[in-house]
Amino acid sequence: MLQCREIIAKLDALAPRTLACDWDNPGLLAGRSGKEIHRVLVALDATDAVVELAKTEQVDMLITHHPLIFKPLRAVNDENFISRCVVSLLQADIAYFAMHTNFDIAPGCMADLAAVRLDLVPEGPLEVTAEMDGSAVGIGKIGMLPEPMRVAELAALVKKQFSLPFVTVYGADRVAEPVQRIAVSPGAGGSMLAHGLAARVPVLVTGDIGHHDGIDAAENHMAVIDAGHYGLEHIFIPFVREYLEGVFPGELEVLEAPLSFPSYMV
């Protein structure tokens, strides 16, 4: 029978925790490393709904991209969202593992997956954070589209390839000519704007861009396609499911949390 630690070893091989940013908190955040695992649920966030789904489906392990715990808990009770979820997971004996910026950075993971969705020919990371096997790795990806396209066409492509209800575009009027060399950086992209400008890409596809950041980028002649934090990163879910099914064929049942966009236009 598979133990939790065996699954963790394979996930660490995929996205080594040594690649994670200093402020991050990936790893086994709740539960027993020796627990026998038969059923796993993969989600982006450990929300109340996801935890309840894990309990309803009687899974043995929950794997998310975003860690539920970032800061030390001063109390573990049912009086706030984070500790309430921890209590619920422990009561149900569900092991809980997160793989965050290590997954963002690792080769073949978030940045590369996003680039593949847009059919980019990769040039390199948008922000280099480390070296692995002699190659630079990092957050986001710079690459070349198969052919030039206008910002509006690229926005439509992003919507299609990431199954999004909408995107927000800044600066389409400031980048009027078709573009081919672009950058994509799943997740919160505020800190990535400077890297996009430094790399002189005409378009950055990312998420969580504030109004002032968006118009500032546009004034610097870089269009920004804000596809949402969840919008670009939900690709984590099917990828991890397929990865686990591949390394543990016939040994593990892996479930996906259904797509649930946290925001939408009405």
Side-chain angles (χ1 to χ4, degrees):
M1 294 295 181
L2 283 176
Q3 291 190 337
C4 179
R5 62 172 58 93
E6 296 175 78
I7 296 172
I8 289 173
K10 291 296 185 181
L11 294 173
D12 282 343
L14 171 68
R17 274 179 269 176
T18 54
L19 294 178
C21 296
D22 292 340
W23 51 263
D24 201 6
N25 190 37
L28 181 63
L29 303 185
R32 300 182 291 118
S33 61
K35 178 178 172 59
E36 287 188 1
I37 307 294
H38 305 275
R39 285 164 64 87
V40 172
L41 176 65
V42 183
L44 200 69
D45 299 281
T47 61
D48 280 327
V50 165
V51 171
E52 285 305 309
L53 178 63
K55 291 164 61 178
T56 299
E57 293 291 343
Q58 297 183 312
V59 303
D60 306 298
M61 185 176 186
L62 171 63
I63 299 169
T64 69
H65 179 48
H66 298 131
L68 177 64
I69 303 170
F70 271 109
K71 299 177 181 178
L73 296 176
R74 297 178 66 87
V76 181
N77 54 41
D78 61 355
E79 295 180 0
N80 69 68
F81 160 67
I82 294 175
S83 62
R84 180 174 71 241
C85 287
V86 172
V87 168
S88 191
L89 289 166
L90 292 174
Q91 284 179 322
D93 194 19
I94 297 173
Y96 170 51
F97 185 83
M99 44 199 310
H100 189 210
T101 52
N102 51 318
F103 186 85
D104 290 334
I105 293 168
C109 293
M110 190 71 83
D112 287 324
L113 293 173
V116 168
R117 288 264 177 146
L118 297 177
D119 204 19
L120 295 184
V121 177
E123 178 181 310
L126 180 57
E127 178 189 6
V128 175
T129 60
E131 186 176 290
M132 187 174 181
D133 299 328
S135 299
V137 296
I139 295 173
K141 192 70 66 175
I142 300 171
M144 296 288 288
L145 292 164
E147 58 186 30
M149 60 177 60
R150 297 189 183 277
V151 173
E153 295 173 316
L154 178 56
L157 178 66
V158 170
K159 281 181 62 177
K160 176 184 177 184
Q161 293 302 100
F162 289 87
S163 304
L164 305 178
F166 68 92
V167 298
T168 302
V169 181
Y170 297 92
D173 57 330
R174 305 305 299 270
V175 183
E177 297 299 317
V179 301
Q180 190 165 16
R181 181 175 179 265
I182 70 165
V184 60
S185 183
S191 64
M192 304 307 294
L193 293 173
H195 295 284
L197 291 169
R200 300 188 178 219
V201 292
V203 183
L204 171 62
V205 180
T206 189
D208 285 357
I209 296 299
H211 169 76
H212 294 290
D213 288 336
I215 62 174
D216 287 351
E219 290 302 310
N220 283 286
H221 301 282
M222 182 176 73
V224 179
I225 299 174
D226 185 344
H229 198 131
Y230 186 97
L232 293 179
E233 289 193 332
H234 67 75
I235 57 177
F236 168 87
I237 299 171
F239 177 81
V240 172
R241 175 185 60 77
E242 292 171 9
Y243 173 77
L244 289 176
E245 289 175 342
V247 294
F248 298 112
E251 298 182 80
L252 195 63
E253 183 179 2
V254 187
L255 310 179
E256 292 185 26
L259 285 183
S260 179
F261 292 96
S263 64
Y264 59 93
M265 287 186 173
V266 294

